[in-house]
Every structure is written in C-alpha cells, then in structure tokens.
Amino acid sequence: MTFPVVGMVGGGQLARMTHEAGIPLGIRFKLLSDTPQDSAAQVVNEVVVGDYRDLETLRAFARGCDVITFDHEHVPTEHLRALEADGIPVRPGPGALVHAQDKGVMRAKLAEIGAPCPRHRIVADPADVAAFAAELERGGHEVPSGGAGGGRRADGFPVVLKTVRGGYDGKGVWVVRSEAEAAEPFRAGVPVLAEEKVDFVRELAANIVRSPHGQAVAYPVVESIQVDGVCDTVIAPAPELDERLAGEAQQLALRIASELGVVGHLAVELFETADGRILVNELAMRPHNSGHWTQDGAITSQFANHVRAVLDLPLGDPRPRAPWTVMCNVLGGDYPDMYQGYLHCMARDPQLKIHMYGKDVKPGRKVGHVNTYGDDLADVRERARHAADYLRGTITE
Ligand code: ADP
C-alpha cells in the first residue's frame, strides 16, 4: 500500500469525523481509543484499545503510523517528545500542543508575542486571588466594566479562576465573587490561573489550518453561543462583525499558529468587547466545535484540511458555500431515540444535515449536531434550532 496511515489518538467524535474526511482520499486510519465503544472506534477499521497516558502503549501504537495526530489535548507532553525522538512525526508537535494543554503556558506565550488577552496571573491561594482582584481594581483591567452588566465591585471581584490543565466545556472554570469562594479551584492540586472577568458582548472563533511547510488557510470568523458553558450554536460568518475586526482576528490566529509552530487545525476562541476589540480566551489544536459548520458550509471542511495538513498536502479552499451556515449541537435529552426525529426534521428542511456521533444519549451530553444554510440568517437559525430541539425531544412539532 502506498497510502499513508494516520495514527489518531483519542476515539471521540472529532476522530470519527476526521476519519470520515479521510475516506474519499483513501487515507488509512489507526485509532488509539479508551474503549471499543468510543465514537470513532465504532467506525475505524484498525482500533487499538489502550491508555494514551502510558508511553509504551503509545510507542506500540505509533509503530506503522506515518504521522500521529489527536482527538484531544491530553497526551502528556513528555510522551509526545519521546515519540518525536523515536522519529515519528507528531502533528501538532509537543512544542505547539503544550500551549493548548496548559492555560498558564498559553497565557505566558501570548503575552510574549503581544496577543491581546485578559489580565491574568498564576495565583497561589485564595488570599493571592484577593490580591489579584485588588490589583485589577487599582487600574489593571484590560476591559472597562460595561456598567450594570459588568457587576464589578470595589474589591475587584468577580474574578475567573481556571485550573491550568484538564478543563473542558467549562469544567475547571469558576467565577468567584470573594476570597472565601476562591478555595474550591485549589483543591484539585494543579496550578490555578486567575483572569479578569471580561465583560464581553459575544464570543467569536477564528479557525485556521496550517501545514508543516507553512501554508495556511483561514475560515470566516464565526460567532459561538454557549449555554451553561457548552457550545450551543455557531453562526458563520459572525453576524455584523466589523470587517476590520474580522480581518484582525484571522491575522491574529495565523500569527499565533506561525509563532507557536502549529500544524493542523487551530481554533482561537475570542471575546469581542463593547469597545470593539478582541481578546484571546483559549486555543484548541485539533478540529473544533466552532468549525463543524464547515462540513456542509465550506468548500473544504476543517476535518478535510486537518487531514491534508498533518500529511503536508496542499490545503483546500476554506471559503463558505452559502451566505449563512448555522450549526446547533444536539444534546441528549430525556428520551433516547434520536432516530425517531429524522423523518420530521428531514421532511421539514431539505437543506438540513444531521451528524450523529454514535454515543449513548445522556442528558446534557453532546451526541451530535446539525448544520443548515441559506440566504436569510433568521430563517437559517430557526431551521437549525428547530432541528436540534426536535431531535433532543424538547419540542414535538
Ligand atoms: P474550557 O477549557 O472549559 O472551554 P474556557 O477557558 O473556554 O474553558 O472557559 C469556558 C467559558 O467560561 C468561556 O467560553 C467563557 O464563556 C467563560 N470565560 C472564560 N474565561 C473568561 C473570562 N476571563 N472572562 C469572562 N468569561 C470567561
């Protein structure tokens, strides 16, 4: 066989959809999965069940792979260095990936390259959090309080605390209003990062893909709407986003990718402030929920471009296919039979594309998403929202 083998660490839905994008190209995938039931393990032919935290498991898995890439950011950085030392291409490499693994490292690097960020520092204990809040109040805020909605008090609280490693979907993030409330994040025994609570008007994401020899493509900047810390809706492109700010966000993402040496898909999650600026929230170096719309709404999807990038193939056109594409996540609801909703949803909206991950339906769990597109934003949003709610079972007509 002359076709390369991509080794994918992690068996979640991102791995499943990356594999799907590799099929038309004849790319072979080998998967390292926690269980045989994981989302991607259900569809990939060659599955190794094992623990990605164990170096020997990773080494054995990597044998026979032409390149290693990821479904998540949790593989220990030192293991990735060991694989590289064994001569296996790891994409993105550990030198880049560490910035998506550790929020402290990420903030330090972004500050060094002059990327706009909320004020932040590593804090030692609750008293140090109170000291940080007081420093902010003495004039250190990056973003002026937006008045009533900002809710910032004379002692500088509220402040956002984050464990530097291991968080996802808002887990590992706390908004604390007092020194007493600041005790909880320190219980995990990992370093804690304090950030000013940004009074943002909305969240945006700038998604780009970069290949090893430095070619890069930028997708339109999207708006991402979170509910209870979980991504709910993504609108592409971000409605009424100032053209200058959109360009700035894309340039910023391209610059971060090049400074950090990112290979593959990079999502830069951003806050847009009332005074017309963007601040970086966090980085993800893999296909990302804010890029799922590209499967049906862009000429080349984030997954297809991630596969091309890790194999150092020329990247595909990132431009949108329609004026508006909206993605809504489908969360598990109270009844488990999602397939029942297909007939209604497909009949109602012929443009609708359903993507299900093969996961057991549990309340609040991301089990799939829908994409739909068209010329009229209000109509496209309504169709996507309706389908996601109907599949979940929160509406019945
Ligand atoms: P995760 O790794 O869990 O995705 P994030 O750092 O993205 O964590 O934070 C989750 C959510 O918390 C963000 O999407 C945003 O809504 C909110 N958030 C995070 N940092 C800040 C901040 N400095 N100011 C205001 N809100 C924040």
Side-chain angles (χ1 to χ4, degrees):
M1 287 285 279
T2 54
F3 286 93
V5 178
V6 173
M8 171 65 79
V9 179
Q13 65 262 25
L14 301 176
R16 179 174 167 122
M17 293 185 277
T18 306
H19 164 256
E20 178 189 354
I23 292 172
L25 301 175
I27 306 300
R28 296 160 59 205
F29 274 76
K30 191 172 157 188
L31 187 75
L32 180 61
S33 182
D34 289 345
T35 79
Q37 289 81 37
D38 282 12
S39 182
Q42 297 169 20
V43 298
V44 174
N45 187 35
E46 205 177 334
V47 181
V48 174
V49 174
D51 185 352
Y52 61 82
R53 287 164 297 199
D54 178 64
L55 179 56
E56 289 320 309
T57 301
L58 280 171
R59 279 202 160 115
F61 170 74
R63 252 172 254 131
C65 293
D66 293 286
V67 60
I68 298 290
T69 191
F70 311 95
D71 167 84
H72 59 69
E73 281 124 358
H74 305 314
V75 182
T77 323
E78 63 274 16
H79 291 1
L80 299 177
R81 293 214 174 89
L83 291 183
E84 272 195 335
D86 293 347
I88 296 153
V90 176
R91 292 173 176 165
L97 197 63
V98 68
H99 300 92
Q101 296 180 317
D102 187 310
K103 291 177 180 176
V105 175
M106 181 264 288
R107 283 283 179 239
K109 182 68 183 181
L110 292 182
E112 183 193 312
I113 67 171
C117 288
R119 296 270 179 225
H120 59 90
R121 72 169 168 82
I122 298 289
V123 280
D125 53 35
D128 200 19
V129 176
F132 172 75
E135 282 162 31
L136 288 177
E137 202 41 43
R138 281 197 301 273
H141 290 286
E142 183 64 42
V143 185
S145 178
R152 203 149 56 215
R153 302 192 319 240
D155 58 3
F157 282 100
V159 160
V160 177
L161 298 181
K162 301 178 175 182
T163 50
V164 295
R165 277 179 183 260
Y168 66 96
D169 282 352
K171 294 177 184 67
V173 177
W174 293 262
V175 178
V176 298
R177 288 175 175 74
S178 65
E179 185 177 328
E181 268 182 38
E184 177 66 27
F186 293 94
R187 297 210 172 98
V190 254
V192 175
L193 177 75
E195 291 183 356
E196 89 178 84
K197 183 168 182 295
V198 177
D199 197 11
F200 56 83
V201 289
R202 59 174 168 175
E203 294 187 64
L204 304 172
N207 289 330
I208 67 106
V209 182
R210 183 173 177 273
S211 65
H213 74 272
Q215 189 195 3
V217 294
Y219 288 100
V221 176
V222 298
E223 176 174 350
S224 129
I225 300 163
Q226 333 287 321
V227 175
D228 297 332
V230 179
C231 174
D232 176 79
T233 300
V234 171
I235 306 173
E240 291 170 46
L241 179 62
D242 181 79
E243 224 171 275
R244 174 196 55 83
L245 206 57
E248 219 176 88
Q250 288 179 315
Q251 289 299 333
L252 177 64
L254 290 167
R255 189 158 71 82
I256 291 172
S258 128
E259 297 264 9
L260 274 52
V262 178
V263 169
H265 189 268
L266 168 72
V268 180
E269 296 180 18
L270 299 163
F271 298 127
E272 183 184 359
T273 63
D275 58 350
R277 290 180 303 141
I278 46 170
L279 300 175
V280 178
N281 174 28
E282 70 163 347
L283 309 178
M285 293 178 198
R286 48 171 169 76
H288 190 253
N289 206 161
S290 65
H292 289 0
W293 69 274
T294 61
Q295 286 174 306
D296 304 298
I299 293 169
T300 317
S301 78
Q302 62 164 348
F303 300 103
N305 264 336
H306 186 77
V307 171
R308 291 183 187 212
V310 301
L311 293 169
D312 207 5
L313 291 168
L315 302 177
D317 192 340
R319 282 177 302 170
R321 290 176 185 270
W324 299 103
T325 304
V326 173
M327 188 254 13
C328 282
N329 277 327
V330 179
L331 303 186
D334 291 333
Y335 69 82
D337 186 6
M338 292 256 169
Y339 183 65
Q340 220 180 51
Y342 280 27
L343 191 135
H344 168 89
C345 291
M346 290 174 174
R348 188 177 190 268
D349 180 3
Q351 260 106 48
L352 186 77
K353 307 287 182 176
I354 301 175
H355 299 265
M356 283 289 161
Y357 308 152
K359 289 175 163 183
D360 287 338
V361 174
K362 289 187 192 144
R365 184 184 201 193
K366 279 184 204 169
V367 294
H369 66 271
V370 294
N371 289 327
T372 195
Y373 47 88
D375 299 332
D376 178 60
L377 177 58
D379 169 62
V380 177
R381 272 192 90 163
E382 190 281 329
R383 286 189 277 121
R385 177 79 273 142
H386 178 94
D389 288 345
Y390 193 93
L391 290 170
R392 185 178 188 178
T394 47
I395 55 172
T396 53
E397 58 183 327

